């Protein structure tokens, strides 16, 4: 509202756009099939959203309900209904600004969706290559419009592709001429300033509702002559000697938004989704001191969900046990007080050894005590020894796919070496959500054998 008032007060125009993955945020929205998020976006007044891979995590019917609720179009030019002819949303929108400027917004979705959102996609959707799709559409749109924006859910990487082979926004800018602006999502990267490749500007905020990104284009006729860029913090706080203070100005809550959210009475389901035949101890003090079966289960599910070779989870992220008997969705969400997501990263054996040695040096009782999957080791006098992956000795030169929680991936509990890893990305899967999905699918948590971490005291 503040930006609109400022810009429109000068006789200029505003577009409000989302690069997708609006699901799997606050669990309270998830249990209402994400309709509160869509209604909130309606109140904000979005002009369009590109379809992200996580829009299908609650299944295709839930996706259609979100799409029907939205007062703005869902875009994706490379995603089709089964058969490959009818788009699942709109390919693009065209807007004529008050001053006569014509703007086209094209939507693109990563093909990674096919591998990580199978629950919602199966039998409903086919996809085409997003780069080839852009090569088709951009010249067509350029003939009728002055400005071309790609609302991209491909991700931004430090090279042309992600470590597992998916082209990102920087490759798109190199491969397709005529794009003025790429507004990106998927990788939750905060670009402090636009990345310019040729004549294309690329922007992305961190996501998770933390920032509003604003880019202003100034024109002489239909030619862009200047750009300005700013990130607005949305009531973020920083710690000071006197407590916490807002980063930037506090934004007052909007009454219409609060009233809308309070109108939703969704509660965590208390119906049984599965059962277990033993107690699973996940109390904070225990998970910080030794390998626990609940830690094994969580990391096994992380590894299974992502197809990783290895999974790491800091023990301090587990804060509650599961009791023998019936298990509800609420029980599983209660394990995690933090809304950690699952990252994947590509690490060499040498980098993994560095992580394990740091873990070994932290000692028992630290929040950074690791719970692991796919890997075994012995801890002796601050060193990680006899490390094996899938039963074979850790190869220092080999590259491994590693799954880890977002807290660790961003350097939490002192794992600064992980913060510096470039070849990583946020899958946006909530830890709690993938455990719920696994319990629903299997009806229980299979028993694991302890012994992945052997602590030698002599």
């Amino acid at each position: 509202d503040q930006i609109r008032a400022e810009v429109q007060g000068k006789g200029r125009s505003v577009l409000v756009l989302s690069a997708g993955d609006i699901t799997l945020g606050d669990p309270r929205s998830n249990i209402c099939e994400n309709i509160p998020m869509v209604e909130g976006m309606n109140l904000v007044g979005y002009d369009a959203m590109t379809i992200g891979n996580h829009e299908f995590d609650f299944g295709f019917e839930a996706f259609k309900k979100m799409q029907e609720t939205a007062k703005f179009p869902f875009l994706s030019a490379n995603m089709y209904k089964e058969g490959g002819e009818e788009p699942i949303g709109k390919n693009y929108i065209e807007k004529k600004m008050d001053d006569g400027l014509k703007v086209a917004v094209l939507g693109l979705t990563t093909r990674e969706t096919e591998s990580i959102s199978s629950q919602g996609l199966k039998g409903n959707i086919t996809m085409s290559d997003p780069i080839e799709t852009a090569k088709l559409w951009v010249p067509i749109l350029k003939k009728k419009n002055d400005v071309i924006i790609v609302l991209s859910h491909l991700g931004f990487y430090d090279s042309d592709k992600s470590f597992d082979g998916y082209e990102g926004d920087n490759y798109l800018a190199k491969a397709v001429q005529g794009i003025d602006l790429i507004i990106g999502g998927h990788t939750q990267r905060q670009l402090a300033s636009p990345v310019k490749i040729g004549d294309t500007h690329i922007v992305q905020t961190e996501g998770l509702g933390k920032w509003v990104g604003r880019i202003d284009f100034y024109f002489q006729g239909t030619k862009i002559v200047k750009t300005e860029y700013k990130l607005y913090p949305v009531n973020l706080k920083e710690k000071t000697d006197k407590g916490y203070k807002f980063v930037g100005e506090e934004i007052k809550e909007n009454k219409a938004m609060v009233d809308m959210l309070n109108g939703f009475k969704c509660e965590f389901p208390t119906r049984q989704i599965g059962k277990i035949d033993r107690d699973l101890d996940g109390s904070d003090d225990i998970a910080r001191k030794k390998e626990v079966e609940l830690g094994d289960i969580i990391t096994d599910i992380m590894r299974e969900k992502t197809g990783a070779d290895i999974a790491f989870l800091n023990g301090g992220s587990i804060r509650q046990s599961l009791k023998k008997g019936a298990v509800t969705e609420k029980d599983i969400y209660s394990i995690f007080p933090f809304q950690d997501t699952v990252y994947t990263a590509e690490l060499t054996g040498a980098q993994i050894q560095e992580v394990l040695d740091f873990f070994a040096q932290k000692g028992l009782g630290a929040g950074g005590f690791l719970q692991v999957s796919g890997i075994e080791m012995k801890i002796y006098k601050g060193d990680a020894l006899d490390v094996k992956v899938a039963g074979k000795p850790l190869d220092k030169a080999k590259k491994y796919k590693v799954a880890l929680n977002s807290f660790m991936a961003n350097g939490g509990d002192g794992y600064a070496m992980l913060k510096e890893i470039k070849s990583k990305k946020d899958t946006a899967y909530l830890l709690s959500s993938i455990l719920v999905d696994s319990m629903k699918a299997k009806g229980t948590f299979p028993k694991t054998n302890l012994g992945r971490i052997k602590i030698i005291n002599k």
Side-chain angles (χ1 to χ4, degrees), residues 269 271-284 286-287 292-298 301 318-336 431-432 434-440 443-446:
R271 65 181 181 276
Q272 179 178 332
I273 60 171
K275 63 180 180 179
I276 51 177
D277 60 4
R278 72 274 185 206
D279 290 339
L280 294 175
D281 195 344
S283 53
D284 184 30
I286 299 297
V292 294
E293 189 182 359
L294 186 56
D296 286 358
I297 289 168
I298 296 168
I301 292 171
I318 306 171
R319 294 297 177 92
Q320 189 163 303
S321 305
L322 282 179
K323 297 295 184 183
K324 176 181 176 180
V327 177
T328 70
E329 202 163 319
K330 184 176 181 180
D331 293 332
I332 292 178
Y333 273 100
S334 298
I335 296 172
F336 306 102
L431 278 174
S432 45
I434 65 171
L435 260 67
V436 167
D437 289 345
S438 180
M439 175 64 79
K440 286 180 177 178
T444 191
F445 289 140

Side-chain angles (χ1 to χ4, degrees), residues 226-396:
K226 186 177 79 166
T227 63
E228 292 177 349
Y229 182 69
K230 184 175 181 180
L231 289 169
Y232 295 82
V234 182
N235 287 355
L236 297 180
K237 293 182 180 181
E238 61 184 0
K239 193 172 184 179
T240 68
D241 294 338
K242 298 180 179 179
Y244 289 88
K245 70 172 186 177
F246 285 104
V247 178
E249 296 181 8
E250 179 184 1
I251 301 169
K252 299 297 182 182
E253 289 183 332
N254 178 276
K255 185 177 185 304
M257 186 74 73
V258 173
D259 289 346
M260 180 276 293
L261 292 171
N262 286 338
F264 281 91
K265 301 301 180 186
C266 307
E267 300 289 342
F268 282 108
T270 55
R271 65 181 181 276
Q272 179 178 332
I273 60 171
K275 63 180 180 179
I276 51 177
D277 60 4
R278 72 274 185 206
D279 290 339
L280 294 175
D281 195 344
S283 53
D284 184 30
D285 57 333
I286 299 297
R288 290 169 178 255
K289 294 178 181 177
K290 64 178 183 179
E291 175 189 351
V292 294
E293 189 182 359
L294 186 56
D296 286 358
I297 289 168
I298 296 168
T299 50
D300 282 352
I301 292 171
M302 291 168 63
R303 191 161 64 92
E304 179 183 355
K305 183 70 174 178
T306 59
D309 302 302
I310 299 165
F312 293 141
L313 178 76
N314 64 303
S317 66
I318 306 171
R319 294 297 177 92
Q320 189 163 303
S321 305
L322 282 179
K323 297 295 184 183
K324 176 181 176 180
V327 177
T328 70
E329 202 163 319
K330 184 176 181 180
D331 293 332
I332 292 178
Y333 273 100
S334 298
I335 296 172
F336 306 102
F338 314 108
Q339 297 305 310
D340 265 14
T341 57
V342 181
Y343 271 64
T344 55
E346 187 178 64
L347 275 67
T348 64
Q351 289 172 316
I352 290 170
Q353 186 68 55
E354 182 184 3
V355 171
L356 298 179
D357 285 339
F358 178 78
F359 155 52
Q361 291 158 16
K362 286 183 74 69
L364 305 183
F369 186 96
L370 289 184
Q371 304 292 328
V372 303
S373 177
I375 194 167
E376 299 174 6
M377 73 200 80
K378 296 174 182 175
I379 303 297
Y380 178 66
K381 291 187 176 180
D383 291 316
L385 308 173
D386 195 21
V387 180
K388 293 180 180 178
V389 179
K392 297 180 180 179
L394 180 70
D395 185 339
K396 299 291 181 67

Side-chain angles (χ1 to χ4, degrees), residues 124-234:
N124 294 298
I125 295 172
T126 57
M127 297 189 72
S128 61
D129 181 270
I131 306 300
E132 295 304 315
T133 301
K135 287 179 180 178
L136 170 68
W137 278 110
V138 169
I140 294 172
L141 295 173
K142 197 74 174 175
K143 290 178 181 178
K144 301 185 293 177
N145 296 275
D146 304 309
V147 180
I148 305 297
I149 298 173
V150 172
L151 201 50
S152 161
H153 199 79
L154 303 184
F156 182 87
Y157 307 103
D158 294 301
S159 56
D160 287 349
K161 297 182 180 182
S162 67
F163 67 87
D164 45 0
Y166 294 97
E167 288 95 351
D169 292 335
N170 40 6
Y171 181 78
L172 174 65
K174 294 174 186 176
V176 183
Q177 301 301 308
I179 302 171
D180 297 296
L181 174 65
I182 298 173
I183 299 175
H186 187 50
T187 42
Q188 285 81 50
R189 288 281 295 269
Q190 185 190 100
L191 299 179
S193 59
V195 173
K196 192 174 183 185
I197 297 176
D199 292 326
T200 304
H201 299 78
I202 304 172
V203 295
Q204 186 175 154
T205 67
E206 185 181 347
L208 303 176
K210 294 181 178 180
W211 304 85
V212 170
R214 171 181 173 178
I215 185 162
D216 291 357
F217 282 80
Y218 294 83
F219 296 87
Q220 195 167 57
T222 59
K223 183 181 178 181
I224 299 168
V225 293
K226 186 177 79 166
T227 63
E228 292 177 349
Y229 182 69
K230 184 175 181 180
L231 289 169
Y232 295 82
V234 182

